[in-house]
Amino acid sequence: MKKADFIHMVRMSEMASADDSRAYRRGVAAFAALGYAWVLGCLALAVGMLVWVVPQLLHGKFRFAWVWIVMAACGLLWLSLRALWVPRSPPQGVQITAREAPALFDALERIRRKIKGPPIHEVYLDDDFNASIRQEARWGMLGGARNQLTLGLPLLMALDKKRLLAVLAHEYGHLRGDHGRFAAWIYRTRLSWHRLHEGMQDDAGPMAVATRAFLDWYWPRFAAKTFALARQDEYEADRIAARLLGQDEVAAALTEVEIKGAWLGEQFWRQHWQGALSQPLPAGPYGALQRLLALPPEPAFAQMALREAVRRLSGVDDTHPVLRDRVEALTGGRPTLPPWSQRGALSLLGAQARGWLAHFDDQWCKANATVWKQHHARLQRAQERVHALQSTQAGNSATETVELARLMRRLDPQAAVQPLYERVLAREPAHVGALLGLADSLPPQDVAGRLRCCEALWDCSPTHRWGAARGAVQALEQRAEAGGDYDAEALKRWRERVRQAEEVEDDALEELYDTPFFQRVTRHDLSAFELGELQAELALHRAVARAWLVCKQLRAMPQRRTYLLFVQLRGLDAQARFALCRRLESELELPGQVLVLAAGDTAALEDIERQAFEPVHAGPGGA
């Protein structure tokens, strides 16, 4: 199903739910029954075929066609049983018991009694900044459920007890009453069909092909038809939590989780990995995280994170609504910065809290030991390069000065690099690298400085016009949202420039994806240091056996440095290969646009070996 068709079906289900909720639920139940009917029908057909043919064979009436029927029936029977009995996924985290954390289990029992929900059979502790309840089917699609709560250690550090209970009440709200049981059944059915659909993608054989054809038709339609129900369930769980703990408390918990989650992703982990510069062995993060999460976020960061959250729109990629929609549904107003939690809720884990901190620190260090050592070596190389450039700073070229500033910010995100960029621009006002670096290093409140950089980039570099125009629009919108001047004329001008630049970008992307990959390619133009950086980044991914890098010349944008990176991957299925390629595109620090392609998926390995020059990376066993 095309994404546009999926979105249309989701919108139709939302309208049907709004018009007549009962009729919508009946329609969902009927479509779910269709899937069960298909599975049970295949099962009955397989059994019927065997019942008819096997006695004939046992009585000596052998025909070659009957052997084929038996084989087909066995294949169909196996696929039917597999569909009915989807294996349970292993729980994540470490199981904790009421004996170890009595306060936590007492709180869960109080919530259960108030909601009149089913018991939670298992509680797990993991290292995610999240909490979730899931129902694992005991007998596959035939029914039965075991309720599992997974609670993230960082969440316990970030929220005080009342707000953590609000989060838990929301999760427990998914198991409420009759409506909750229906929604939970649909959730389990969605999960079962999803696992079956994913698990059969590489199966061969005529029966498997027929089954995949049905799943390819049924699963996206079932997901679309049940989307509105899943999203309504999120709102209802919020309302249940609000009835127990108050709508303001739930709204504050949602907002605090959003902002502290952004802080974790954007600041804490970057700072923690920065410690690899001076420490060759990994340090556990959770001891430090306990102290930092108990502190209020910096006001400027909190305001910025809240603005970003409020700008997001609920989409069809996730059944969870965005923060703005959830808070508006609860309070009728937009999210605001809450009073911050003061102490965290680790005490709910009882006397074992310190032990769990030490356990997860130790697990993190073991899991990241190799990557940490490689990152340490990479930062050491960057530091050596910084020292070399600083020793010749007076005679450095503009490109070397920009490289020095970029590496200084890698080693220390707070490094004062603006004077270096300004020195380059005093000599070469149109130096693209200096303009980009200066715009990135300016504080958010310096909108005028960022606009000057964007204007200069627009004038001197057609390659960077789209990014410059989007950056200018973002700066102007942020200033207006923060209560500053609203420059309607400037916004109109820059938005028109975004539109103009997008047309050129679309042409370049179309050429990049639609022309033969090895047309108009040359050897890569990386310096020795840039090549070493690329090799160090690729070494972090064990699945990358070999890699080739070439430059791609685009007629639509001849000035742009564009690269094709071909990677030979091992031990990954098609979905994992695609995900790793997209991840590499976002993480690799190349001096231009890069498209990452898996050998064998879009280009044959023998063509790559023949036309992509020599490999730039060979991992263990990949030579």
Side-chain angles (χ1 to χ4, degrees), residues 266 270 304 402 405-410 412-419 421-422 425 431-454 457 464 467-468 471-472 474-475 478 589:
E266 297 176 25
R270 182 183 63 186
M304 180 190 69
V402 168
R406 180 176 60 83
L407 291 175
M408 287 174 62
R409 286 205 78 190
R410 178 189 297 176
D412 178 9
Q414 306 303 319
V417 296
Q418 292 180 35
Y421 290 127
E422 290 168 350
L425 292 173
H431 193 286
V432 172
L435 289 168
L436 290 170
L438 181 59
D440 187 54
S441 63
L442 290 173
Q445 59 270 24
D446 188 0
V447 174
R450 291 164 66 190
L451 289 177
R452 285 194 295 271
C453 292
C454 293
L457 283 168
H464 294 89
Q474 183 181 41
Q478 287 179 348
E589 295 186 14

Side-chain angles (χ1 to χ4, degrees), residues 50-247:
L50 291 173
V51 168
W52 176 61
V53 173
V54 170
Q56 307 290 334
L57 294 174
L58 292 177
H59 285 84
K61 298 180 180 179
F62 180 82
R63 291 183 182 177
F64 192 71
W66 288 353
V67 176
W68 283 103
I69 292 174
V70 170
M71 294 175 61
C74 289
L76 188 59
L77 179 64
W78 164 248
L79 290 172
S80 302
L81 293 175
R82 181 178 173 182
L84 288 172
W85 195 271
V86 180
R88 295 177 61 186
S89 60
Q92 302 296 315
V94 181
Q95 187 171 1
I96 56 177
T97 65
R99 187 173 183 178
E100 293 169 322
L104 174 62
F105 280 81
D106 287 346
L108 291 173
E109 179 60 22
R110 290 196 300 272
I111 294 173
R112 187 196 69 80
R113 288 198 302 265
K114 291 180 180 179
I115 294 178
K116 299 179 181 179
I120 292 178
H121 300 97
E122 298 163 3
V123 178
Y124 294 89
L125 190 66
D126 69 6
D127 56 1
D128 284 342
F129 189 68
N130 194 21
S132 63
I133 280 182
R134 68 173 185 171
Q135 291 193 315
E136 278 288 349
R138 290 180 174 177
W139 305 296
M141 288 189 177
L142 296 178
R146 190 167 185 85
N147 301 316
Q148 297 175 347
L149 168 67
T150 302
L151 186 57
L153 185 66
L155 195 68
L156 283 159
M157 301 175 186
L159 301 180
D160 60 27
K161 289 182 183 179
K162 191 172 183 181
R163 289 189 184 167
L164 182 72
L165 293 179
V167 173
L168 295 179
H170 165 89
E171 296 301 329
Y172 221 138
H174 291 301
L175 308 180
R176 70 202 178 277
D178 293 336
H179 282 256
R181 281 194 289 271
F182 179 75
W185 172 65
I186 290 297
Y187 168 80
R188 293 196 306 274
T189 306
R190 281 171 62 100
L191 184 63
S192 296
W193 282 116
H194 176 69
R195 288 179 184 169
L196 183 62
H197 183 254
E198 292 296 319
M200 294 195 64
Q201 290 305 303
D202 297 325
D203 284 9
M207 293 297 104
V209 170
T211 301
R212 281 205 310 271
F214 173 79
L215 290 174
D216 288 342
W217 175 85
Y218 181 77
W219 159 242
R221 286 163 176 80
F222 183 73
K225 285 179 177 293
T226 58
F227 189 92
L229 178 67
R231 179 158 287 176
Q232 287 172 2
D233 198 53
E234 295 296 333
Y235 287 120
E236 183 59 29
D238 281 343
R239 286 191 286 269
I240 288 174
R243 285 202 296 270
L244 295 183
L245 292 136
Q247 64 182 29

Side-chain angles (χ1 to χ4, degrees), residues 349-572:
L349 296 180
Q352 295 288 332
R354 289 187 178 276
W356 290 124
L357 281 173
H359 168 81
F360 282 103
D361 270 336
D362 182 60
Q363 291 293 105
W364 192 92
C365 290
K366 289 179 180 178
N368 292 278
T370 300
V371 178
W372 184 279
K373 292 174 185 176
Q374 292 170 334
H375 190 57
H376 170 75
R378 183 185 177 208
L379 291 179
Q380 289 289 312
R381 288 194 299 271
Q383 190 174 58
E384 291 171 3
R385 178 64 175 164
V386 165
H387 291 161
L389 290 170
Q390 287 177 332
S391 66
T392 60
Q393 191 167 341
N396 284 349
S397 66
T399 300
E400 289 172 329
T401 303
V402 168
E403 181 185 2
L404 172 61
R406 180 176 60 83
L407 291 175
M408 287 174 62
R409 286 205 78 190
R410 178 189 297 176
L411 297 174
D412 178 9
Q414 306 303 319
V417 296
Q418 292 180 35
L420 294 176
Y421 290 127
E422 290 168 350
R423 185 187 309 166
V424 171
L425 292 173
R427 290 184 293 171
E428 300 182 29
H431 193 286
V432 172
L435 289 168
L436 290 170
L438 181 59
D440 187 54
S441 63
L442 290 173
Q445 59 270 24
D446 188 0
V447 174
R450 291 164 66 190
L451 289 177
R452 285 194 295 271
C453 292
C454 293
E455 191 71 51
L457 283 168
W458 179 270
D459 291 338
C460 72
S461 178
T463 297
H464 294 89
R465 282 183 172 176
W466 184 62
R470 292 181 70 229
V473 170
Q474 183 181 41
L476 289 166
E477 288 179 344
Q478 287 179 348
R479 181 173 66 182
E481 291 172 359
D485 295 335
Y486 179 79
D487 193 336
E489 183 178 348
L491 265 173
K492 181 180 179 181
R493 181 174 70 255
W494 280 110
R495 284 171 177 163
E496 174 59 24
R497 288 179 169 181
V498 168
R499 188 192 63 78
Q500 295 172 9
E502 278 180 345
E503 295 177 357
V504 181
E505 289 288 329
D506 290 343
D507 291 341
L509 284 175
E510 183 177 355
E511 181 182 350
L512 178 61
Y513 282 97
D514 293 347
T515 59
F517 291 125
F518 296 105
Q519 181 178 311
R520 296 171 59 85
V521 298
T522 59
R523 290 180 182 272
H524 72 78
D525 57 358
L526 301 187
S527 66
F529 180 77
E530 290 171 334
L531 179 59
E533 289 288 281
L534 172 63
Q535 292 167 338
E537 290 181 280
L538 291 174
L540 299 178
H541 301 276
R542 296 181 181 179
V544 180
R546 288 188 293 171
W548 297 259
L549 184 72
V550 297
C551 290
K552 174 83 169 178
Q553 301 295 321
L554 299 178
R555 289 190 174 92
M557 199 170 288
Q559 308 94 337
R560 172 170 288 175
R561 295 175 73 177
T562 304
Y563 299 93
L564 297 179
L565 180 69
F566 300 97
V567 288
Q568 183 183 4
L569 303 176
R570 54 194 169 196
L572 300 179

Side-chain angles (χ1 to χ4, degrees), residues 267-295:
Q267 293 196 355
F268 173 78
W269 287 113
R270 182 183 63 186
Q271 294 167 3
H272 184 71
W273 280 94
Q274 207 67 33
L277 176 62
S278 58
Q279 300 181 55
L281 297 177
Y286 298 106
L289 190 57
Q290 179 187 7
R291 176 179 56 83
L292 294 172
L293 280 174
L295 301 174

